Amino acid sequence: MALALFYIAAAVALASTVLVITRRNAAHALIYLVVSLLSIAVIFFLLGAPFAAALEIVIYAGAIVVLFLFVVMMLNLGRRSAERERLWLRPGMWIGPAILVGVLLLEMLYVIVLDAPGTTRGAVVGPKEVGTALFGPYLLAVELAAMLLLAALIGAYHLGRRYLGDRREELS
Amino acid sequence: MTVPVIPIEHVLALAAALFVMGLVGVLVRRNVIFLLMSLEIMMNACGLAFIAAGAKWGQPDGQIMFMLILALAAAEVAVALGLVLQLERRFDSLDIDTAGEMSG
């Protein structure tokens, strides 16, 4: 049965990814990107990596996509934004993502309610093993990732501060 | 005991398909926001391949590589969106080709 769940989630991932790269509107593409990431999180779960699935949802679908959305909204601040938002939030636009997410929701309900006979139960690598390995042999990689994130923080602050400064001068 | 129920070839095929889709997006789209989204898709496909390999052998290393990819993606997107703001301010456009004047 895990096989069928995997193929359904894979189909959802492929369909939503095609829709991401063919949309004209960035906000719609971001919604489909969230659907794609959610379906890949389902696949991670089926592969016996529940921790990676949680991280996929929290960081990718949560933090990174929200960052994208912030910038998309910010770039449209001045230009006829009310009219644009009405165009974005047309009710018909939500049907596609809603159907795809509904499929994933049905899968999740199936796994939770029927307690998922036949998923990769023997081969689950849980958070405990991941944490032990992460802060054991991979400690140096964690330090490097920390430095990378610090560099990104400083870089993003530098680039964004000049933008906001000029923006404020234009407005005042 | 650790018989993978899902054949790894199919997971890797899915990862390859997603990667190719991201690559096509990078090559075809000229809007910077869409380029960055396609990059995210490509990195996500790499993460999927790592998770599949980790699940195949029942080791946590695949998930650790996925977490490092996640950190890389977060760092990349933070800096790149700052660059998008600068691009929009200087060229008043989100088209990546407007920034091609350095190509000599």
Side-chain angles (χ1 to χ4, degrees):
Chain A
M1 195 58 216
L3 213 55
L5 291 178
F6 167 72
Y7 288 127
I8 295 170
V12 171
L14 290 173
S16 54
T17 308
V18 167
L19 287 165
V20 169
I21 61 173
T22 52
R23 286 309 87 181
R24 186 170 300 223
N25 189 315
H28 297 161
L30 280 169
I31 300 293
Y32 280 111
L33 185 60
V34 172
V35 177
S36 169
L37 296 172
L38 288 179
S39 56
I40 291 176
V42 169
I43 292 172
F44 285 173
F45 181 73
L46 292 176
L47 283 172
F51 188 51
L55 280 181
E56 172 95 4
I57 291 176
V58 171
I59 297 180
Y60 255 117
I64 292 179
V65 172
V66 167
L67 203 60
F68 268 110
L69 265 180
F70 273 149
V71 170
V72 169
M73 296 291 172
M74 217 165 140
L75 293 177
N76 290 307
L77 266 186
R79 307 177 193 161
R80 302 169 278 120
S81 58
E83 175 201 335
R84 232 167 218 266
E85 273 185 5
R86 202 175 319 117
L87 214 62
W88 284 355
L89 301 178
R90 256 197 337 240
M93 294 317 298
W94 298 99
I95 293 175
I99 290 172
L100 291 174
V101 166
V103 172
L104 295 178
L105 180 68
L106 287 178
E107 283 197 352
M108 194 186 79
L109 286 178
Y110 172 80
V111 170
I112 290 175
V113 172
L114 298 182
D115 204 17
T119 44
T120 56
R121 178 145 300 166
V124 170
V125 181
K128 192 179 169 194
E129 288 95 327
V130 176
T132 311
L134 191 63
F135 290 102
Y138 284 98
L139 191 58
L140 191 62
V142 174
E143 300 285 345
L144 286 174
M147 275 202 269
L148 177 71
L149 287 173
L150 179 65
L153 177 70
I154 294 169
Y157 174 70
H158 178 68
L159 288 168
R161 192 186 50 157
R162 280 183 4 212
Y163 173 83
L164 287 178
D166 291 355
R167 195 84 187 203
R168 219 166 284 136
E169 283 167 19
E170 281 172 21
L171 290 178
S172 61
Chain B
M1 173 61 187
T2 58
V3 181
V5 184
I6 300 166
I8 189 172
E9 294 86 5
H10 297 186
V11 188
L12 290 179
L14 174 67
L18 288 174
F19 189 89
V20 168
M21 277 183 199
L23 188 63
V24 168
V26 169
L27 293 176
V28 170
R29 300 304 297 251
R30 292 272 66 93
N31 187 319
V32 193
I33 300 275
F34 281 92
L35 284 186
L36 292 176
M37 274 191 247
S38 302
L39 280 178
E40 294 299 318
I41 292 170
M42 286 163 77
M43 278 197 255
N44 209 26
C46 296
L48 179 60
F50 272 115
I51 296 273
K56 162 85 174 162
W57 302 110
Q59 296 294 322
D61 305 61
Q63 293 189 49
I64 286 166
M65 284 310 292
F66 171 72
M67 285 164 71
L68 296 178
I69 289 176
L70 210 61
L72 178 72
E76 178 257 354
V77 104
V79 174
L81 287 175
L83 286 173
V84 168
L85 293 180
Q86 291 289 331
L87 190 76
E88 203 263 349
R89 186 174 69 85
R90 301 211 172 169
F91 300 100
D92 208 18
S93 150
L94 285 181
D95 193 328
I96 193 79
D97 286 337
T98 55
E101 49 188 37
M102 212 161 74
S103 58

